[in-house]
Amino acid sequence: MSYKAGIVAAITELKDRTGSSSIAIKKHMQANLPADKKWMNATFLAALKKAVADGDLVQTKNSYKLSADFKKKADR
């Protein structure tokens, strides 16, 4: 699973109305990480930043939530 897919899955499973913090997303992803995979924090942060730049995530203060456009694309 890619880091972006893991981030999206974590945000949808945490179901926080105001958005999920990067720490909560990281903890959720690390708990579901396969045993043979190594956690790479730099890749995680880059994927988080790129998702915000692409418009897939919305950052409010230190929380992230899925954008309305991304939800529409995911429903199709």
Side-chain angles (χ1 to χ4, degrees):
M1 171 170 27
S2 69
Y3 279 87
K4 182 179 176 185
I7 291 168
V8 170
I11 291 173
T12 54
E13 289 177 23
L14 290 171
K15 295 181 182 174
D16 197 354
R17 187 177 64 82
T18 58
S20 302
S21 69
S22 60
I23 296 168
I25 296 168
K26 183 191 298 187
K27 284 182 181 179
H28 186 274
M29 286 179 65
Q30 286 176 336
N32 296 326
L33 194 69
D36 61 336
K37 289 270 193 171
K38 183 182 173 207
W39 179 256
M40 302 188 69
N41 201 50
T43 308
F44 167 72
L45 294 174
L48 205 56
K49 199 176 282 190
K50 185 174 180 340
V52 170
D54 291 345
D56 295 337
L57 297 179
V58 177
Q59 182 178 5
T60 54
K61 297 184 183 174
N62 287 334
S63 297
Y64 298 90
K65 53 185 174 180
L66 299 176
S67 68
D69 293 339
F70 185 78
K71 288 180 185 178
K72 287 179 186 174
K73 282 191 275 184
D75 288 340
R76 287 187 211 167

